[in-house]
Amino acid sequence: MQSITIVGSQRESVGKAASKALRNAGKVPCVLYGGNSTIHFSADALAFKKLIYTPNVYTATIELGGKTYNAILQDIQFDPVTDNIIHVDFYELHKDKEITLAVPIQIVGTAPGVMAGGTLRIVNRKLKVKALPENLPDFVPVDISWMEMGNRLYITKIAQEKYKIMHPDNTVVCQVRVSRAALKAAQEAAKADGKKKK
């Protein structure tokens, strides 16, 4: 999985006044959980641009005074008026501990049902996967090259090698729906066929 580096500095004072002063200076108050102790730090607001405003999922390499921590974004709070980031929570990753993360799907192939006039409806654009940090995928490939009109693709059809998909087997990922035009054409063809038989 791709990683983004965030250079921060540890916070000595924690509280509303200190956090407000940081935000006024263009910094974002952050907390890193999951280690031996909780770490409070701050980083430039611009450092989060690539991590947040994207459909992709990244891990974060947090650099604090010579120390490096591998983490994932756990929670983010925005100002309801300005939409600026006001707080970020990270969770530290450990090589030997599995983590659950929502990862985007990537459609692979072309469905014959779509070529025949159907429409592809994606039900779940992200799937929760569980894996060791080194095995976390950037995306989950979803092969639709076998799908005819009316077919549904369930979780069971997706290969799970180094990660486990944390959804029930009956979860629908996508489906090929019969479009109105295709349905109308089929009905007209059936009517014409019926007339021929008469």
Side-chain angles (χ1 to χ4, degrees):
M1 181 169 278
Q2 298 175 78
S3 182
I4 287 174
T5 301
I6 292 173
V7 180
S9 51
Q10 275 191 254
R11 293 193 282 155
E12 299 301 325
S13 50
V14 179
K16 284 186 177 179
S19 295
K20 190 176 179 183
L22 281 170
R23 290 186 202 108
N24 289 341
K27 306 269 186 187
V28 176
C30 307
V31 181
L32 177 64
Y33 298 100
N36 295 327
S37 59
T38 301
I39 300 169
H40 296 267
F41 70 98
S42 66
D44 285 334
L46 291 172
F48 298 95
K49 199 173 180 181
K50 215 173 176 184
L51 193 63
I52 294 155
Y53 306 109
T54 172
N56 302 326
V57 179
Y58 297 95
T59 55
T61 302
I62 300 167
E63 294 180 359
L64 297 173
K67 285 187 178 180
T68 303
Y69 304 88
N70 290 321
I72 57 162
L73 186 69
Q74 186 89 342
D75 187 39
I76 185 159
Q77 293 171 26
F78 294 92
D79 186 293
V81 179
T82 63
D83 222 26
N84 291 335
I85 304 163
I86 56 173
H87 190 86
V88 178
D89 286 344
F90 288 96
Y91 188 82
E92 190 176 350
L93 297 174
H94 301 276
K95 285 183 180 180
D96 57 344
K97 279 188 184 177
E98 287 188 318
I99 187 89
T100 302
L101 193 63
V103 174
I105 66 163
Q106 186 175 79
I107 298 295
V108 178
T110 305
V114 172
M115 297 290 282
T119 54
L120 181 70
R121 179 174 174 254
I122 299 171
V123 181
N124 285 289
R125 293 188 178 275
K126 283 190 174 184
L127 297 174
K128 279 186 180 178
V129 302
K130 188 177 186 180
L132 290 170
E134 64 177 348
N135 295 331
L136 284 170
D138 289 318
F139 56 83
V140 175
V142 175
D143 183 11
I144 62 165
S145 57
W146 58 274
M147 294 180 76
E148 300 290 346
M149 239 183 269
N151 284 166
R152 292 179 173 190
L153 189 147
Y154 294 93
I155 290 291
T156 48
K157 282 273 188 186
I158 300 173
Q160 301 177 47
E161 291 175 17
K162 292 182 177 179
Y163 53 85
K164 186 177 184 230
I165 298 175
M166 306 301 288
H167 293 267
D169 288 349
N170 64 350
T171 302
V172 176
V173 180
C174 59
Q175 63 187 83
V176 178
R177 298 174 82 172
V178 180
S179 66
R180 284 180 185 172
L183 189 64
K184 194 176 177 184
Q187 286 170 342
E188 284 173 0
K191 275 182 192 174
D193 196 41
K195 282 178 185 175
K196 280 180 190 174
K197 284 178 182 176
K198 283 179 184 177

